[in-house]
Amino acid sequence: ATLFDNSSYENRTRDRHIRIDGAHLSILAASTPETYESTWDPEFTNIGLNNRLFIVPGEGQRGDGFPPVIPAQKLQEVQLKLCGIINHVATSMKLSITESAKEVYSEWYRDLEKSIHAQRLEAYALRLMCLIAVNDLKSEVDEETVRKAIALCDWQLEVRKLYTPVDA
């Protein structure tokens, strides 16, 4: 949970000391509904784990036992796009934000509902703005980028509401 907000982690026990600096955490996982529901007990909610999850509902299905090889042309297209993004980031690591983008975000932030479902969405929006801008090869976060990030966070708010276990 610490790595959501910071890039360092520290843990001391009686006979050990662990310190990690410059860490960045990213997890992609799948869960059954039962496992997800179990994260709503006090052990997880007290540390805010639930609001550090970005929920993407879906249905699993079996595909081919041996997936087909990606055609060379498609693979090259992905490689070229990824190289373009990496080159863009290498030349301009610092993103600015336009005044109109700040206004759009600030208005959304002020109006964001105050509920357990909305917690940490503002942090997601800020992170998504950067990722979207870089993916679109922009050197600044503009109004369009902010609106895309907000749309994702508004969707996440509705998904959280829909998939919150009912205590009944």
Side-chain angles (χ1 to χ4, degrees):
T2 304
L3 290 174
F4 187 87
D5 295 315
N6 299 307
S7 61
S8 63
Y9 170 79
E10 190 167 7
N11 187 13
R12 292 179 188 263
T13 63
R14 191 166 37 116
D15 55 352
R16 281 198 165 157
H17 176 238
I18 298 171
R19 180 170 175 83
I20 302 171
D21 291 311
H24 300 279
L25 181 65
S26 177
I27 298 174
L28 178 63
S31 169
T32 64
E34 295 79 19
T35 300
Y36 173 71
E37 288 174 7
S38 73
T39 68
W40 286 84
D41 72 12
E43 183 180 348
F44 292 103
T45 56
N46 289 344
I47 63 169
L49 176 68
N50 317 77
N51 297 311
R52 288 175 169 88
L53 302 174
F54 197 87
I55 305 164
V56 181
E59 295 287 327
Q61 59 186 18
R62 288 188 184 263
D64 293 330
F66 296 96
V69 175
I70 299 171
Q73 180 183 352
K74 292 287 184 191
L75 186 58
Q76 187 177 19
E77 288 174 21
V78 171
Q79 288 171 333
L80 286 173
K81 287 181 182 179
L82 186 56
C83 284
I85 292 169
I86 291 169
N87 288 334
H88 175 67
V89 171
T91 59
S92 59
M93 286 294 291
K94 189 171 181 178
L95 289 171
S96 60
I97 184 167
T98 66
E99 286 303 315
S100 63
K102 284 182 186 178
E103 289 173 22
V104 170
Y105 175 78
S106 295
E107 181 180 338
W108 174 79
Y109 177 78
R110 280 191 306 270
D111 294 340
L112 186 60
E113 73 177 51
K114 308 290 187 264
S115 74
I116 190 169
H117 306 293
Q119 290 179 348
R120 295 204 177 266
L121 286 180
E122 75 286 349
Y124 276 117
L126 291 170
R127 287 169 170 84
L128 286 168
M129 285 180 219
C130 296
L131 291 172
I132 293 167
V134 167
N135 191 63
D136 291 344
L137 302 178
K138 295 181 177 181
S139 58
E140 66 182 1
V141 174
D142 60 11
E143 194 173 324
E144 176 191 24
T145 303
V146 173
R147 290 190 190 286
K148 287 178 181 179
I150 287 171
L152 284 167
C153 289
D154 286 345
W155 172 81
Q156 181 62 195
L157 177 61
E158 296 307 313
V159 168
R160 286 179 177 184
K161 289 177 184 178
L162 185 63
Y163 285 93
T164 299
V166 177
D167 293 329

